[in-house]
Amino acid sequence: MSVKKVHPITCRLIDWYSEHKRELPWRETKDAYRIWISEVILQQTRIDQGSDYYHRFIEQFPDVTTLAAASEEEVLKVWQGLGYYSRARNLHQAARQIVSLHNGEIPSSYSGLIAMKGVGAYTAAAIASIAFGLPHAVVDGNVYRLLTRLFAIETPVDTPAGKKATADIAQSLLPEEDPGGYNQAVMDFGSLICTPTQPRCGDCVLQEYCQAFAANAVSAYPVKIRKTRIRKRYFHYFHILHGDRTYLQKRDRADIWKNLYEFPLIETEQDADFAQLEQSSSFRQLFGNLPTLQIDPPLILQHQLTHQLIHTRFYRVTIPEEAQFTPPGEILSISQEALHIYPVSRLTHKYLETI
Ligand code: SF4
């Protein structure tokens, strides 16, 4: 039997990890379900914030069967505030897929894992290696950054060729023994030492192998061809009070926060003050010809998403109890106390915390 020679970079990373490994709840287990949930939660999420969500998620949905049996609204409610809600919807659909196609057992092969709803190459490699000890290297943002710096990879990482070049190197560094532990070592190293800005090159055990460091060009990697364009949006929410009733609508379009609830919304192309809103057909559609409305000065919040900056005004509108108010059909009338039951975006949650 041939034994693959372990690359010196791999040895250094494993040694570093054994000393600096973070004790995290999902690292105490080989349970594929828990590893899957933690990996999905930790995409785009800081570890401290992710840990709280992980505990809450596992407490409410301790296994695939419980998750599959839940309603989508229950899953979104636990996910509330974490962002990227398609992750929660995909987890839920994948759990149903696992119950119907695999008798409730998470597939133990890479091909079975990657066929699950919402599971891409990164998550499939993480579950395959950590839960099942299979030789699949993970490549996430941390790994791209670390490897492009170490090997001075000039091909942009946001191109198929750049992705492949980095993935090939990642695979060549993977040890036969404990590939899951090694994968976690690389990701930890990328997030703790080889950070996006101000990497800790002075403390870096890989410094002598690092081609970017040798060329004094660390900040030039990873090379990208596309700059992220930020779209500005202008949201005007109406928290309407009518006796003990208030109103919500479900976002059902293919847009951010799909299937979450929010107050009736008017979105404008440009920023608009109340006088301009009042003139709009959307405003008339929402409020009809109600003669008296009490409008409080709005709460203004800015909300940053990866590709969008949302300028938001929350207006509190009181309609006299005796007035007839019939909002458009898609808007739900609920009691004020029921507001906290519905899954909402982090933005709406921020507003609710102020009232
Ligand atoms: Fe990253 Fe600096 Fe280490 Fe190179 S020397 S791997 S840039 S931390």
Side-chain angles (χ1 to χ4, degrees), residues 145-146 149-150 189 193-195 199-202 204-208 210-213 218:
R145 192 170 57 252
L146 175 64
R149 287 173 176 171
L150 277 173
F189 195 84
I193 305 290
C194 196
T195 53
R200 295 167 51 194
C201 302
C204 177
V205 296
L206 302 178
Q207 195 198 85
E208 68 180 279
C210 182
Q211 297 180 29
F213 183 82
V218 170

Side-chain angles (χ1 to χ4, degrees), residues 275-309:
Q276 291 166 307
L277 284 181
E278 227 179 350
Q279 299 306 316
S280 69
S281 56
S282 311
F283 189 89
R284 283 194 296 279
Q285 228 179 342
L286 179 58
F287 291 107
N289 292 319
L290 283 171
T292 47
L293 295 173
Q294 183 199 314
I295 321 265
D296 295 348
L299 176 75
I300 300 176
L301 293 175
Q302 299 242 27
H303 194 65
Q304 178 80 63
L305 300 172
T306 314
H307 298 116
Q308 302 188 22
L309 177 63

Side-chain angles (χ1 to χ4, degrees), residues 228-236 255-256 267-272 301-312:
T228 309
R229 267 222 304 278
I230 303 287
R231 173 183 172 202
K232 285 187 184 168
R233 299 180 77 173
Y234 301 91
F235 283 12
H236 311 269
D255 192 359
I256 52 170
E267 181 173 0
T268 52
E269 290 287 324
Q270 305 290 331
D271 199 7
L301 293 175
Q302 299 242 27
H303 194 65
Q304 178 80 63
L305 300 172
T306 314
H307 298 116
Q308 302 188 22
L309 177 63
I310 303 177
H311 300 267
T312 318

Side-chain angles (χ1 to χ4, degrees), residues 48-227:
D48 51 346
Q49 190 196 14
S51 297
D52 291 346
Y53 277 90
Y54 171 80
H55 284 300
R56 252 179 284 155
F57 200 95
I58 293 295
E59 196 176 312
Q60 183 137 357
F61 312 115
D63 49 41
V64 176
T65 321
T66 333
L67 179 58
S71 70
E72 186 181 274
E73 249 166 64
E74 285 171 308
V75 180
L76 287 172
K77 188 67 195 167
V78 176
W79 204 266
Q80 181 172 301
L82 197 51
Y84 299 94
Y85 294 88
S86 56
R87 291 182 294 171
R89 288 192 294 271
N90 286 339
L91 274 178
H92 184 228
Q93 287 174 32
R96 293 189 164 179
Q97 218 180 348
I98 293 166
V99 167
S100 64
L101 300 178
H102 304 287
N103 211 14
E105 291 288 327
I106 294 185
S108 58
S109 67
Y110 182 86
S111 57
L113 289 164
I114 207 160
M116 282 160 49
K117 177 85 181 166
V119 172
Y122 164 79
T123 313
I127 305 170
S129 63
I130 301 168
F132 303 114
L134 298 173
H136 292 276
V138 293
V139 189
D140 70 347
N142 290 318
V143 179
Y144 278 124
R145 192 170 57 252
L146 175 64
L147 296 185
T148 55
R149 287 173 176 171
L150 277 173
F151 294 90
I153 298 173
E154 299 289 347
T155 319
V157 288
D158 49 355
T159 60
K163 285 190 168 66
K164 182 169 183 322
T166 319
D168 287 349
I169 291 179
Q171 194 63 32
S172 73
L173 294 175
L174 194 73
E176 282 174 355
E177 200 182 316
D178 193 14
Y182 169 78
N183 276 337
Q184 293 180 85
V186 187
M187 290 190 286
D188 260 20
F189 195 84
S191 76
L192 294 174
I193 305 290
C194 196
T195 53
T197 52
Q198 299 179 327
R200 295 167 51 194
C201 302
D203 301 328
C204 177
V205 296
L206 302 178
Q207 195 198 85
E208 68 180 279
Y209 302 103
C210 182
Q211 297 180 29
F213 183 82
N216 196 19
V218 170
S219 62
Y221 299 93
V223 176
K224 287 186 183 167
I225 48 170
R226 278 183 283 274
K227 292 244 179 305

